[in-house]
Amino acid sequence: MDPQAFFWRVMAGELPPPRAVQTLGGRIVRVDAEAGIVETTFQAPDAFANPMGHVQGGFLAAMLDDTLGPALAATLARGQFAPTLQLTVTFLRSARIGLLHGTGRVLRRGREVCHLAGELRQDGEVVASALATALVRQAGPRQAAS
């Protein structure tokens, strides 16, 4: 299936979100494709807790990746996809088990190289932020046709 069409079919409720997003309890709550901005929520379960009872950082990084990626996906043309080349996460405070809110945005959208930024908040406070670089690619005939 065309990767760009997949994104919009998920947004329309025609297809379930990817399994990774489901595992993270993720949901896209707002998309502004023109501005390259998405807002997400994630429901972190007890299974995501580190020994201190906070959300383990790897899960927060995955949540950020699943916030930044859709911000760019919303801007892509038919047949395009954009794998993340680099993701740099900064942890600012501990996140508790429960609801987190994400915002992702496209900082610079080149023909191929794109720069993204975003953050996760809990109770209005930023718990983690990220910068990412992604590379826009054309899906091969097999992906675009299925």
Side-chain angles (χ1 to χ4, degrees):
M1 171 179 290
D2 172 11
Q4 202 270 345
F6 175 81
F7 173 80
W8 289 109
R9 289 188 66 194
V10 169
M11 291 306 306
E14 297 170 11
L15 293 172
R19 294 284 300 154
V21 175
Q22 292 177 39
T23 298
L24 295 170
R27 189 168 73 88
I28 296 174
V29 295
R30 188 176 81 84
V31 176
D32 182 339
E34 192 170 311
I37 297 173
V38 242
E39 292 178 11
T40 59
T41 60
F42 296 92
Q43 187 64 47
D46 289 337
F48 288 8
N50 63 21
M52 298 303 296
H54 300 115
V55 179
Q56 194 268 342
F59 291 109
L60 296 174
M63 291 173 188
L64 283 161
D65 195 31
D66 276 326
T67 298
L68 302 178
L72 181 55
T75 73
L76 297 176
R78 184 170 179 83
Q80 292 183 325
F81 67 104
T84 303
L85 296 177
Q86 180 178 354
L87 178 68
T88 303
V89 178
T90 302
F91 302 104
L92 301 167
R93 64 181 64 236
S94 298
R96 294 180 321 284
I97 298 305
L99 187 64
L100 293 117
H101 298 269
T103 303
R105 63 194 159 283
V106 178
L107 295 176
R108 183 176 182 281
R109 168 88 158 76
R111 246 179 357 142
E112 291 185 347
V113 178
C114 302
H115 299 277
L116 316 167
E119 57 274 334
L120 285 176
R121 288 185 163 76
Q122 194 169 54
D123 301 324
E125 299 287 333
V126 177
V127 297
S129 63
L131 294 172
T133 305
L135 188 63
V136 175
R137 289 288 178 234
Q138 285 297 130
R142 182 175 157 198
Q143 293 98 345
S146 55

